[in-house]
Amino acid sequence: MSASSEAQLGARIRDQLKADKQALFDAFAAGGQVGTLLSQLRRAVDIALVTAWRELSLPEDAALVAVGGYGRGELFPHSDVDVLLLLSREPDADTIERLERFIGLCWDLGLEIGSSVRTVEDCLREARQDITIQTSLLEARLLTGDRQLFTVLREHYLAELDPAAFFQAKLLEMRQRHAKYQDTPYSLEPNCKESPGGLRDLQVILWMTKAAGLGDSWKELFQKGLLTQREAQELSHNERLLKTIRARLHLVAGRRQDVLVFDLQTALGEAFGYRQNANKRASEQLMRRYYWAAKAVTQLNSVLLLNIEALLFPSESKVTRVFNERFEERQGMLEITSDDLYEREPRAILETFLLYERTPGIKGLSPRTLRGLYNARTVMDARWRNDPENRRQFLAIVQEPQGITHALRLMNQTSVLGRYLINFRRIVGQMQHDLFHVYTVDQHILMVVRNMRRFAIVEHTHEFPFCSQLMASFDRPWVLWVAALFHDIAKGRGGDHSSLGAVDARRFCKQHGIAREDADLIAWLVEHHLTMSHVAQKQDLTDPDVVHAFARTVGSERYLTALYLLTVADIRGTSPKVWNAWKGKLLEDLYRITLRVLGGARVDPHSLWSQRKEETIAQLRLMAFDPDLGKPLWAQLDVAFFLRHDSRDIAWLTRHLYNRVDSDTPVVKARISPAGEGLQVAVYVKDQPDLFARICGYFERKAFSIQDAKIHTTRHGYALDTFQVIDPRISGAAAGQHTGSQGYRDIITLVEHELAERLHTQAALPEPTQGRLSRQSRSFPIKPRVDLRPDERGQYYLLALSANDRTGLLYAITRVLARHRVSVHTARINTLGERVEDMFLVDGSRLAADNKLQLQLEQDLLDALAI
C-alpha cells in the first residue's frame, strides 16, 4: 500500500472511530449504562484495529490478540489499548517493517497503544518471569489472524498455569499495592482503580478464580458456592458504580485519569446529578457514595480471598478451641458454629467482638464469621440497638483493657459500629474540607481512639512520655475512649458539631448506665475538645487572665488532664503535617501552668518575674557563667520579657548578648530548638520600623516555616526577637530517621551569617513573591478573613488572619504592617495543613487614634491575603 493510500486509510478509520466514540459518550452522558459504554467502546476499537490489520496485509501466520483489560472485553474512554502481535516465528525484516507500519497507524488513529511483538515461546518465557504478563495473557482474546496459533498459545499457557502459585503472587501484589495507598480506601483523593476497595481488587478476585477454573463472573462464583446470591448482587452493583465513576472521571478530565483529585470531584459529582445543599457539596455526596462502595468491596474481598485460599490450599481444618455453643477457634480465626447464628441470636453480633478482644492469639474473623456479619445487617435495627444486653456488651467492649482499637476498627469495617451507633453511620465516608484533615471523619475518630490507646500501652511510652505518664495515673481511662469516639460524631449536620456531639454523648451515657460523674466528663470533653488547642495556639499564655480563664473552664485536674490527652490525640489524628514539637510544647506549657493555678497558685506577674530570674541565675551557674555579667542586659529588659521567655531561653540569650548590649551591628544566634524540632533563632539589633518584615522575608526566601515569634523592644531601643522555625525539607526527610537535628546543625552558621548580613545592609524590602496556591487550596478556597480589634486594656490590638496558605504569604502580611508603620508585639503563626490562622498582637497607639488607618490596614491585608 502506498503512503498516500495508507494515509487515506488512517483518516477514514480515525474519523469513523472518532464519530463512534463521540456517539457512545453522548449516549452515556444522557443516562446510558456503563456496561454498554465499555463493551461498545471495545467493539469500536476492535473494528478499527481489525480493519487496519487486514488492509495492511499482515502475515497470515500471525495473530492480533487483545490482552489486559481490553482483552477482558471492556474499554474505558481514555484507557490504554493493550495488544499482542503474536508471531509463529522470529520476524524477518519485511515482517518487522509491516508490523511497525501497523503500530504507527494505530497511534495515528488516536489510540493509546500498548503493544508487544512475541512468539508463543516468548510469551510463555515472559509469563514465567513476570506475573503482570502472566495476568494479561489470562484474559487474551483473539481479534483477527491465525486462530490456530492463538489456540496453541492458550493451550500451552493454561498447561503451565499453576493456580496456587498465581494466587500467592497476586495476593502479594495486592498487599504491596494496598500498602502504597496506606491500606485504606478512605484517602481524600483515592485512586478508583488501584486503591483498596477499587476496581483492581475486584479484578484480582476474578483473575484468581479464572486461573483456578472457578469462574470469571460473580454469577459463576455464586453458582460454584463461593458467594451467596446477595453477595453476588452487592459485588455486581458496586462494580457497576466504580466503573461508572471511572468512566465519568475519564470524560470529565478529557484524559486517562483514575485519581479522584479535588480539582475534579465537584464536576464529577455534578455529572452524577448531585447538587450542593445546605450541608454538603456535590463532591462530598459523590465521595461518600464512593467510600461506601469501596468499603463493601473491601469487606467482601476479605471473605472471598479466604474462601479461595481454603480451596487452593486445602488442609485439615481442626477446631482448636471451643468457646461456647456459638463460637470456636479454627486455624487461629474466630468462627461462628452455624451460618444463621446472627439471624437466630442477634446478641451474638457484639459478643463476637468482645470475645475477639478477650482472647489472646485470635488473628481475626474467619470467612464464615465475616460472611455472617455481612448478611446480618438487617437484624441490626432499633430493637437490636436498644437491647439492654447489647448495650452491656458494647460498653464492655470499650472498657476492655486491651484490643479496643482493633475491635472498633473491625466493627467499622464490618459495618457493625455504624449500625450500633446510628450517628456514627452518618459520618462513615464523610470528607472534611478544612484542608488539614487527611482522613474521613470516621477514620479520623478511630485514629484519635488509637492515639489515646497508645498513651496507655507500655511499648509506646517513648513516643509521648508525658502523655503516657498522665495516662498511667488516670482513673477509668475508658471514659477517654468514649469521648474520643464521640468528639467529631456530629460533623456535617450543620451547627456546632461540638455541642451536638455532646448531646449525643450524654444520651449514650444515659442509655448505657454510665455514672453521672463519668457522663459529665465525657459530654464536657466532647463539647470542649477544641478549647485547649485554641487557647494554646492563639492566645498569649503569659497573660495571667488567659490562664485563669482557662483554669475556670476546666475546673479540676482530672478534667484538665483528660482534655490535654484528648487534644494531643486529636491534633495528631488530623494529619502527619499538622502536629509538630512546638505545638506539643505549647500544649504542655498550658497544662503545667494551669495545673499550678488549679492547685491554688496565683499567676502574679511580679512573683513570676522574681521566680524566672532565680531560675535563670541557676541555669547560668550550671553553665559555669557568672550571672552578674548579665545584669547590664537585664537592666534593659522589662517584666514582660521575663514572663514571655522561660529560664533556659533567658540564660541562652544572656550568654550570647551580655557583652554586646550596645552593639552597632546585628547579632543573630541560632540553636536547635528546645521544643525538639527546628531552630530557635534570636535577633538583637537596633530597632527599625520594617524589622519584622525583613526577618520574615529572609525566612520565606529560605522556605522556612515560622511557628512562633516573640517580639520585644528593650528600654534603650533595641529589638530582641526570637523565632521558632522549621525547614519542611529537613523535617520531612528526617521523619522516622532521627536525622533532623543533624540537618539543622548543618545550617546554624549559615542562618546566623546570612540573616545578620541582610539586617546590616538594610536594603529596600523586595516585593513579595506571588506564591501559587496548592492544588487542594484552589479546589477548596478559604475566604480571606481579617479581624482587628483592641485588647481589653486598649494598649494593643489583636489582629487575626485566616486564608489559604501559599509561599510568601507571611512576608506579604508583614510587609503591609511595615508599610503602615504598625509594630508587631507578638506573633502566633498557626499553619493547619493548607490553611493559615495567624494571630498578631500589634501596637495600638496609632490605630486607636486613626479609624481610617484601621480600615485601610484591614483592606490592604485582605488584598494581600487574596492575591
Side-chain angles (χ1 to χ4, degrees):
M1 180 180 291
S2 66
S4 60
S5 297
E6 191 171 315
Q8 291 176 357
L9 171 67
R12 175 169 56 83
I13 299 175
R14 182 175 62 251
D15 292 344
Q16 183 61 53
L17 179 60
K18 185 177 180 181
D20 290 345
K21 291 171 71 173
Q22 190 58 54
L24 291 170
F25 295 164
D26 292 342
F28 180 59
Q33 296 297 310
V34 70
T36 302
L37 172 69
L38 303 186
S39 62
Q40 291 300 313
L41 275 176
R42 182 266 304 165
R43 183 174 180 275
V45 173
D46 281 359
I47 293 172
L49 290 178
V50 170
T51 302
W53 180 275
R54 291 174 178 172
E55 292 290 341
L56 291 180
S57 302
L58 288 161
E60 294 182 357
D61 60 347
L64 179 62
V65 180
V67 293
Y70 178 46
R72 189 163 53 248
E74 59 185 26
L75 192 63
F76 285 86
H78 293 285
S79 285
D80 288 348
V81 176
D82 294 324
V83 293
L84 166 65
L85 282 62
L86 185 62
L87 306 179
S88 60
R89 60 184 183 280
E90 292 297 323
D92 55 25
D94 178 63
T95 300
I96 291 174
E97 189 270 336
R98 282 193 280 176
L99 292 174
E100 288 176 347
R101 285 168 51 205
F102 171 75
I103 294 172
L105 180 58
C106 290
W107 281 102
D108 291 341
L109 298 180
L111 298 174
E112 296 282 341
I113 284 289
S115 60
S116 57
V117 180
R118 296 189 179 106
T119 63
V120 171
E121 291 75 15
D122 292 336
C123 291
L124 297 175
R125 182 178 62 254
E126 294 294 331
R128 295 184 201 110
Q129 299 173 356
D130 190 333
I131 188 63
T132 302
I133 295 174
Q134 190 176 12
T135 305
S136 68
L137 290 175
L138 181 66
E139 299 186 302
R141 175 172 59 90
L142 179 67
L143 294 174
T144 188
D146 190 337
R147 180 171 296 278
Q148 184 176 357
L149 180 63
F150 176 72
T151 301
V152 170
L153 171 64
R154 292 294 297 168
E155 289 175 349
H156 283 78
Y157 170 82
L158 293 174
E160 291 193 10
L161 182 62
D162 180 348
F166 183 83
F167 173 87
Q168 294 280 36
K170 297 308 292 183
L171 185 61
L172 176 60
E173 187 181 68
M174 184 178 73
R175 287 172 177 166
Q176 291 172 337
R177 174 170 51 82
H178 284 185
K180 179 182 176 183
Y181 293 97
Q182 289 76 51
D183 289 303
T184 177
Y186 298 106
S187 165
L188 296 188
E189 292 184 313
N191 186 311
C192 64
K193 179 183 177 184
E194 301 287 349
S195 288
L199 280 170
R200 182 67 82 203
D201 280 4
L202 296 173
Q203 293 166 359
V204 166
I205 292 293
L206 294 179
W207 287 333
M208 291 173 170
T209 54
K210 184 172 184 177
L214 300 172
D216 61 356
S217 71
W218 310 121
K219 183 178 179 180
E220 290 184 22
L221 297 189
F222 160 62
Q223 293 170 345
K224 292 289 180 66
L226 271 76
L227 288 172
T228 65
Q229 185 174 17
R230 180 178 176 180
E231 290 166 348
Q233 291 171 345
E234 288 278 345
L235 282 169
S236 180
H237 168 76
N238 288 310
E239 180 183 44
R240 187 162 56 251
L241 173 62
L242 292 173
K243 286 180 177 178
T244 303
I245 288 174
R246 188 182 182 211
R248 291 194 186 279
L249 185 58
H250 279 206
L251 294 175
V252 167
R255 63 184 186 279
R256 184 179 62 186
Q257 173 69 38
D258 296 329
V259 179
L260 288 156
V261 293
F262 286 137
D263 314 49
L264 300 176
Q265 287 177 9
T266 297
L268 185 60
E270 291 172 349
F272 271 81
Y274 294 116
R275 296 294 179 265
Q276 182 169 339
N277 57 40
N279 293 326
K280 286 185 173 62
R281 306 168 188 238
S283 57
E284 290 177 287
Q285 297 170 63
L286 167 74
M287 293 307 296
R288 189 154 192 255
R289 189 174 175 188
Y290 168 83
Y291 292 132
W292 279 73
K295 181 180 180 182
V297 168
T298 302
Q299 286 179 250
L300 290 172
N301 254 30
S302 299
V303 175
L304 275 168
L305 284 171
L306 292 170
N307 282 339
I308 297 168
E309 185 174 25
L311 287 173
L312 293 176
F313 302 94
S315 60
E316 188 176 357
S317 180
K318 292 183 179 180
V319 174
T320 53
R321 258 190 293 189
V322 175
F323 299 110
N324 51 44
E325 66 276 10
R326 295 175 296 281
F327 296 97
E328 60 194 19
E329 179 186 349
R330 192 181 295 268
Q331 293 183 319
M333 311 295 275
L334 184 61
E335 182 160 297
I336 53 178
T337 56
S338 62
D339 293 333
D340 63 346
L341 171 65
Y342 297 130
E343 284 81 0
R344 289 187 294 103
E345 299 183 51
R347 290 178 173 177
I349 294 172
L350 292 181
E351 184 185 1
T352 305
F353 301 96
L354 190 55
L355 195 57
Y356 170 77
E357 275 185 314
R358 290 175 171 175
T359 309
I362 290 290
K363 296 182 295 184
L365 306 184
S366 73
R368 190 180 193 184
T369 306
L370 290 170
R371 171 170 283 164
L373 289 169
Y374 187 83
N375 292 307
R377 288 175 294 172
T378 55
V379 305
M380 290 184 266
D381 53 15
R383 181 180 178 184
W384 175 76
R385 285 189 290 275
N386 294 328
D387 185 331
E389 175 59 19
N390 284 334
R391 289 179 172 175
R392 185 197 66 78
Q393 289 193 101
F394 185 83
L395 190 59
I397 288 171
V398 297
Q399 290 178 334
E400 276 295 301
Q402 59 186 15
I404 300 161
T405 301
H406 293 296
L408 290 177
R409 282 181 169 171
L410 193 54
M411 290 174 73
N412 190 40
Q413 291 166 11
T414 54
S415 299
V416 174
L417 185 57
R419 297 276 175 172
Y420 186 77
L421 297 177
I422 202 67
N423 285 336
F424 189 91
R425 191 164 189 255
R426 294 179 180 179
I427 48 91
V428 170
Q430 181 174 312
M431 300 179 70
Q432 304 187 74
H433 292 316
D434 49 23
L435 294 179
F436 65 95
H437 282 88
V438 298
Y439 308 107
T440 54
V441 182
D442 59 316
Q443 294 302 301
H444 165 69
I445 285 175
L446 295 179
M447 183 65 74
V448 174
V449 174
R450 169 252 193 197
N451 291 342
M452 295 278 272
R453 283 288 301 139
R454 285 168 81 96
F455 296 154
I457 298 173
V458 173
E459 290 78 7
H460 297 291
T461 54
H462 64 282
E463 297 174 345
F464 290 85
F466 185 56
C467 292
S468 296
Q469 175 188 335
L470 294 176
M471 186 66 80
S473 58
F474 194 89
D475 186 34
R476 301 187 302 284
W478 60 266
V479 302
L480 301 178
W481 325 150
V482 177
L485 198 55
F486 279 88
H487 82 283
D488 272 353
I489 203 168
K491 280 278 185 77
R493 286 193 221 164
D496 182 0
H497 78 277
S498 299
S499 299
L500 295 172
V503 173
D504 288 351
R506 194 168 288 282
R507 183 185 304 115
F508 172 88
C509 292
K510 183 178 180 180
Q511 292 171 342
H512 291 75
I514 295 175
R516 178 66 178 272
E517 178 186 357
D518 292 331
D520 288 345
L521 175 56
I522 290 169
W524 182 88
L525 284 171
V526 174
E527 184 174 4
H528 292 276
H529 72 272
L530 298 175
T531 301
M532 191 169 193
S533 61
H534 175 84
V535 173
Q537 297 180 48
K538 296 185 179 181
Q539 298 189 35
D540 184 1
L541 302 189
T542 64
D543 185 341
D545 292 342
V546 169
V547 178
H548 282 291
F550 179 67
R552 286 194 298 272
T553 299
V554 295
S556 71
E557 180 179 349
R558 180 172 174 79
Y559 273 52
L560 172 64
T561 300
L563 183 58
Y564 172 72
L565 293 171
L566 178 58
T567 302
V568 174
D570 189 18
I571 296 176
R572 288 185 62 223
T574 56
S575 164
K577 296 191 298 183
V578 171
W579 177 264
N580 58 48
W582 178 245
K583 288 180 181 175
K585 182 180 185 302
L586 291 175
L587 290 171
E588 186 173 336
D589 287 348
L590 178 57
Y591 176 88
R592 292 184 183 279
I593 193 171
T594 306
L595 188 61
R596 290 198 295 270
V597 171
L598 292 172
R602 288 291 302 169
V603 184
D604 177 70
H606 294 287
S607 63
L608 279 177
W609 183 20
S610 301
Q611 179 184 345
R612 195 64 47 82
K613 277 191 173 183
E614 291 175 4
E615 292 172 350
T616 304
I617 290 171
Q619 289 279 340
L620 290 170
R621 284 174 175 159
L622 286 174
M623 300 173 184
F625 184 89
D626 183 359
D628 288 338
L629 294 176
K631 288 182 178 180
L633 174 66
W634 291 6
Q636 305 300 335
L637 305 175
D638 58 20
V639 175
F641 179 87
F642 285 89
L643 295 181
R644 295 172 58 221
H645 295 80
D646 65 27
S647 58
R648 291 179 301 172
D649 290 342
I650 300 171
W652 174 61
L653 293 169
T654 301
R655 285 183 60 213
H656 290 290
L657 300 176
Y658 77 97
N659 59 347
R660 308 185 71 174
V661 176
D662 298 309
S663 174
D664 291 328
T665 58
V667 180
V668 177
K669 290 297 175 183
R671 64 173 178 172
I672 301 298
S673 172
E677 180 183 14
L679 290 178
Q680 183 178 29
V681 181
V683 175
Y684 185 72
V685 64
K686 287 182 179 179
D687 200 12
Q688 49 191 271
D690 58 2
L691 178 63
F692 187 60
R694 197 174 296 279
I695 296 170
C696 289
Y698 170 77
F699 288 138
E700 292 282 5
R701 188 172 64 85
K702 300 295 288 187
F704 289 174
S705 176
I706 301 175
Q707 302 296 302
D708 188 64
K710 293 177 181 176
I711 316 300
H712 188 80
T713 304
T714 67
R715 291 190 173 99
H716 66 321
Y718 275 70
L720 178 48
D721 303 342
T722 55
F723 297 82
Q724 298 284 339
V725 300
I726 61 172
D727 185 339
R729 296 161 299 186
I730 295 177
S731 296
Q737 300 175 23
H738 308 291
T739 59
S741 295
Q742 185 58 50
Y744 283 112
R745 284 192 182 92
D746 293 341
I747 64 172
I748 285 177
T749 302
L750 180 66
V751 169
E752 291 176 341
H753 172 74
E754 287 185 344
L755 182 51
E757 184 66 23
R758 170 168 289 220
L759 298 177
H760 180 66
T761 57
Q762 294 193 11
L765 290 176
E767 290 294 321
T769 57
Q770 299 297 316
R772 296 178 59 187
L773 290 176
S774 69
R775 182 170 52 80
Q776 292 90 338
S777 294
R778 290 197 304 271
S779 300
F780 303 107
I782 297 170
K783 184 177 180 180
R785 181 180 60 84
V786 175
D787 183 20
L788 180 65
R789 63 183 64 187
D791 67 359
E792 293 180 357
R793 299 181 182 87
Q795 182 181 0
Y796 297 102
Y797 271 67
L798 290 170
L799 174 62
L801 306 170
S802 66
N804 286 100
D805 193 19
R806 70 170 191 273
T807 303
L809 178 62
L810 182 58
Y811 175 59
I813 293 169
T814 57
R815 198 170 179 274
V816 171
L817 295 175
R819 188 168 71 246
H820 288 286
R821 292 184 292 121
V822 173
S823 301
V824 176
H825 184 63
T826 61
R828 184 61 54 84
I829 313 303
N830 195 21
T831 305
L832 302 170
E834 304 294 332
R835 187 178 84 201
V836 296
E837 292 187 355
D838 296 343
M839 299 285 294
F840 299 90
L841 188 66
V842 299
D843 182 28
S845 56
R846 297 186 65 243
L847 293 170
D850 191 343
N851 289 334
K852 289 184 178 180
L853 175 60
Q854 294 182 36
L855 294 173
Q856 188 61 51
L857 178 62
E858 289 179 331
Q859 185 57 56
D860 289 353
L861 286 169
L862 282 172
D863 292 342
L865 296 177
I867 291 175

